[in-house]
């Protein structure tokens, strides 16, 4: 499976997303159990998270037994050039506080590059996905191709980030400089922000401390909708870290000039 | 109409919300026009906002011609002890950036106290309302009564606020102290935060600089779900300002001790 034509099709992504939703949605707003993953930080992991990841893994293992899988809850299994990267519930804080801006993220990396991916929000019924060439949406309002908007200037840009608290020290100072340069900033969006960028409703997303499973599924969605997504130093985003996604190359360069100087 | 029994019923609230949705929803994610309301700040007002308020006003004027109406877009009309207070799209930033956490807010104040209200999110199909006695939800997942959860301690509480940027100076220092005292903080929620509090998914909401139309509809929803909502100095919330809503009286007192000392 080294050629584009051999990539799994959207139907398989939809099956994976549906299997995850069957575990996550019934537990949304039900007050399920919340563990503390880290001793000194509140990092909620619900049963929904774990059950959804098991459901996704099970389908992948059956269909593509030679592919590796990296998941937030159960780590890495397998090896080779194909690696599925999954976050069963991106935005667990949104999930446990009832706000439907979390999503299930499933992406496939081939030869170190994210090729296809899906973001599914089962409460609203929204799916954003990339098939290796183009990116699409379906859900309320009807289906359509995803296309970034042509914003080139920071002072015309809408910036999304999950929380200004993700930055500290020098990175915070740079983020605040960026915030002061854009037209509008919105907080609290997690994966939803990248979907809105791909859909042409926002222009810039900056996140810090991302893991591969927070970003891999979103890379092809942003890129195949016409956007640019890299680390803050301009490299490929597959390994996570501090990530900058932009609607256009011009806007991306302007953001990097502030964030990486 | 001074007795509780004479309050308009939920069916009328639903009609108002549906009329607003017919104007707002078709314009959501369509890239409509955005004006600058204030010269020195970005305060987006879409056509959707204006058309939705006109639709709500028209129905109220027909059904209750002797009631006053205060709306975000068209100000105050009429007088008397009954005053409808409406924000056609609370969370315009969410609206124009494609994120479905905005809502239509419609409340009725009688003798200076908010008695009934509705928050409607037409993209997700969620309605949260209070009928003068009790609060309810319907939408995905099915209908049910709204009930706050029994959280009494700050270190067990989930705190919502739209943005830490709403606070400055001494108020910011107090907010940050509160943020350090709670279990988890989420940003970017607007009216949705109060609905999640009423529904038992969150425990504490703090907002600054609210106008009457940002909060009136939400007061009966929070109160009739069992919660407490006041200004930061403990007074009635109908006039807006810095507002603190909490799941329990104990939690509310603990938050006020930090925010108002």
């Amino acid at each position: 499976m080294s050629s584009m034509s051999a990539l799994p099709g959207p139907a398989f992504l939809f099956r994976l997303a549906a299997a995850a939703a069957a575990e996550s949605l019934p537990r949304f707003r039900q007050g399920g159990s919340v563990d503390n993953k880290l001793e000194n930080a509140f990092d909620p992991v619900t049963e929904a998270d774990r059950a959804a990841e098991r459901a996704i893994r099970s389908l992948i293992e059956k269909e593509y037994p030679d592919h590796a899988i990296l998941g937030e809850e159960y780590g890495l299994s397998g090896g080779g050039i194909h690696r599925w990267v999954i976050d069963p519930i991106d935005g667990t804080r949104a999930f446990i506080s009832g706000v439907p801006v979390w999503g299930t993220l499933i992406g496939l990396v081939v030869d170190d590059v994210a090729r296809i991916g899906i973001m599914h929000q089962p409460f609203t019924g929204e799916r954003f996905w990339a098939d290796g060439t183009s990116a699409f949406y379906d859900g309320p309002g009807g289906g359509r191709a995803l296309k970034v908007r042509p914003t080139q200037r920071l002072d015309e840009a809408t910036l999304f980030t999950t929380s200004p608290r993700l930055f500290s020290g020098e990175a915070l100072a740079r983020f605040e400089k960026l915030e002061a340069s854009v037209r509008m900033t919105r907080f609290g969006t997690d994966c939803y922000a990248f979907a809105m960028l791909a859909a042409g409703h926002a222009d810039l997303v900056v996140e810090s401390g991302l893991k591969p499973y927070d970003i891999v599924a979103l890379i092809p969605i942003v890129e195949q909708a016409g956007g640019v997504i890299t680390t803050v130093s301009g490299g490929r985003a597959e390994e996570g870290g501090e990530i900058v996604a932009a609607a256009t190359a011009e806007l991306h360069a302007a953001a990097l000039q502030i964030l990486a100087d």
Side-chain angles (χ1 to χ4, degrees), chain A:
Chain A
M1 200 183 89
S2 59
S3 70
M4 292 271 293
S5 60
L7 289 169
F12 186 64
L13 295 180
F14 298 165
R15 274 180 62 204
L16 297 177
E23 298 295 340
S24 61
L25 194 54
R27 295 174 171 97
F28 182 53
R29 297 187 177 174
Q30 300 303 308
S33 66
V34 174
D35 293 351
N36 278 353
K37 203 192 290 183
L38 304 173
E39 230 175 87
N40 296 316
F42 182 68
D43 186 359
V45 180
T46 62
E47 268 307 303
D49 232 333
R50 293 175 182 151
E53 182 167 328
R54 288 194 300 270
I56 296 168
R57 281 177 176 268
S58 167
L59 287 173
I60 293 173
E61 286 161 2
K62 195 175 161 197
E63 199 79 22
Y64 298 101
D66 57 329
H67 288 191
I69 305 175
L70 173 67
E72 186 191 11
E73 298 302 324
Y74 294 98
L76 177 66
S77 60
I81 64 161
H82 300 99
R83 177 184 295 187
W84 293 87
V85 182
I86 57 189
D87 190 350
I89 298 176
D90 180 74
T92 43
R93 285 173 181 232
F95 184 94
I96 65 168
S97 51
V99 185
V101 296
W102 52 279
T104 297
L105 300 181
I106 306 167
L108 176 62
V109 171
V110 185
D111 285 330
D112 300 326
V113 174
R115 304 286 188 185
I116 63 173
I118 188 167
M119 185 286 232
H120 183 219
Q121 207 323 297
F123 183 81
T124 60
E126 296 170 281
R127 294 191 294 208
F128 302 81
W129 75 94
D131 67 4
T133 308
S134 304
F136 301 93
Y137 164 83
D138 72 11
R144 61 190 175 88
L146 294 175
K147 180 91 183 69
V148 295
R149 60 188 181 194
T151 311
Q152 299 191 5
R153 295 162 46 107
L154 288 172
D155 62 3
E156 295 172 344
T158 298
L159 166 67
F160 278 64
T161 195
T162 296
S163 169
R165 305 298 190 237
L166 296 176
F167 303 90
S168 62
E170 179 65 19
L172 178 60
R174 288 173 180 164
F175 177 79
E176 288 180 342
K177 188 176 170 194
L178 181 66
E179 201 183 338
S181 306
V182 298
R183 187 174 198 187
M184 184 176 100
T185 302
R186 253 197 76 80
F187 299 113
T189 36
D190 301 296
C191 60
Y192 219 91
F194 295 92
M196 292 301 100
L197 172 69
H201 308 305
D203 308 293
L204 199 53
V205 185
V206 177
E207 296 281 7
S208 187
L210 295 189
K211 305 291 186 188
Y213 45 75
D214 295 321
I215 194 66
V216 159
L218 299 162
I219 295 169
I221 297 172
V222 169
E223 290 185 335
Q224 293 166 34
V228 178
I229 179 169
T230 70
T231 65
V232 73
S233 44
R236 292 289 309 171
E238 276 79 358
E239 295 304 311
E242 187 171 348
I243 300 298
V244 180
T248 62
E250 292 80 359
L251 188 64
H252 184 263
L256 251 56
Q257 199 166 17
I258 291 177
L259 294 172
D261 72 358

